[in-house]
Amino acid sequence: SQTIHQWPATLVQPVGSPLSLECTVEGTSNPNLYWYRQAAGRGLQLLFYSVGIGQISSEVPQNLSASRPQDRQFILSSKKLLLSDSGFYLCAWNTGSADEQYFGPGTRLTVT
Amino acid sequence: QQQVKQSPQSLIVQKGGISIINCAYENTAFDYFPWYQQFPGKGPALLIAIRPDVSEKKEGRFTISFNKSAKQFSLHIMDSQPGDSATYFCAASKGGSYIPTFGRGTSLIVHP
């Protein structure tokens, strides 16, 4: 069966510090991978998606970046965090377009 | 347009009652309509989904009603239970696009 992992589960970082969040998927090959951000009490904001290794599409211009160094690994990064980067970061995957997405457990990021 | 409008934003229901959440879309190319359930601090999980070739789909206490002509679909939770208290997201996507469109979410509280 397929499993999606995210780490860390929680993170408290000062403004201006770097960020690296990791997501890995097990049990499937060539998944589509997604990064979402969810502000407190709000909806899902798509940040990045990837349909293959090295292929990253950005949906929202900001100080975040994403990389996909391996087929089932998706990394969200920032060189300098802003207060507005606080939120709940979710990784998700699926195997095709117009298909259900499977979400990871999320990372709660607090920028202080 | 890609927008999906979800209502209400919040809903309070007594145990045993019926919870109804509505979504409306504009893009007639959408051909997949899932509902996700999210508990606090967790990632969303697929609850039930429908494609436009049927007008209704039922899984246990959860039913999706789909009205293609009105471009609307709704989630009905029969015999609502306190354990159903969560945030519910509707979504829509179309073949060939990797980007689903999510509604803004409905916070459901079921009082015992």
Side-chain angles (χ1 to χ4, degrees):
Chain A
S1 63
Q2 299 89 0
T3 308
I4 180 169
H5 302 280
Q6 283 187 248
W7 63 88
T10 59
L11 192 59
V12 180
Q13 292 283 93
V15 168
S17 64
L19 173 73
S20 181
L21 303 181
E22 188 167 343
C23 170
T24 59
V25 180
E26 298 177 354
T28 188
S29 297
N30 195 31
N32 302 320
L33 296 171
Y34 304 80
W35 278 113
Y36 290 88
R37 178 170 61 199
Q38 188 174 31
R42 303 293 295 275
L44 298 165
Q45 180 187 29
L46 179 63
L47 302 175
F48 302 93
Y49 71 96
S50 170
V51 299
I53 296 175
Q55 301 179 57
I56 308 295
S57 297
S58 173
E59 290 301 300
V60 182
Q62 55 203 333
N63 69 319
L64 299 174
S65 62
S67 62
R68 185 172 177 172
Q70 301 181 43
D71 181 43
R72 290 169 289 178
Q73 184 184 31
F74 207 22
I75 297 173
L76 183 69
S77 304
S78 174
K79 293 182 179 178
K80 290 185 177 181
L81 283 169
L82 307 173
L83 285 173
S84 58
D85 291 324
S86 293
F88 192 46
Y89 287 81
L90 290 157
C91 182
W93 71 275
N94 65 10
T95 56
S97 63
D99 196 3
E100 62 263 31
Q101 293 192 329
Y102 301 93
F103 287 84
T107 294
R108 175 75 59 190
L109 172 65
T110 303
V111 182
T112 60
Chain B
Q1 291 297 320
Q2 298 289 324
Q3 193 174 15
V4 174
K5 295 181 180 179
Q6 183 173 346
S7 63
Q9 185 174 353
S10 61
L11 181 61
I12 299 174
V13 174
Q14 291 297 122
K15 178 182 177 182
I18 302 174
S19 303
I20 302 175
I21 304 171
N22 301 298
C23 284
Y25 62 97
E26 298 175 357
N27 190 339
T28 56
F30 286 145
D31 57 7
Y32 180 69
F33 303 90
W35 284 91
Y36 293 86
Q37 180 187 56
Q38 183 181 28
F39 293 107
K42 306 294 184 181
L46 179 69
L47 183 63
I48 187 173
I50 197 168
R51 297 194 185 271
D53 53 340
V54 296
S55 60
E56 185 176 283
K57 183 174 182 179
K58 183 176 181 179
E59 291 184 1
R61 297 185 292 109
F62 301 91
T63 300
I64 298 179
S65 297
F66 183 78
N67 187 328
K68 189 174 182 178
S69 60
K71 293 185 286 185
Q72 295 176 348
F73 57 110
S74 59
L75 175 69
H76 296 237
I77 306 175
M78 312 300 289
D79 187 25
S80 298
Q81 299 296 313
D84 297 330
S85 298
T87 299
Y88 293 82
F89 293 95
C90 65
S93 58
K94 60 180 181 178
S97 171
Y98 295 95
I99 306 174
T101 300
F102 282 89
R104 292 186 174 226
T106 295
S107 175
L108 171 65
I109 296 174
V110 181
H111 282 155

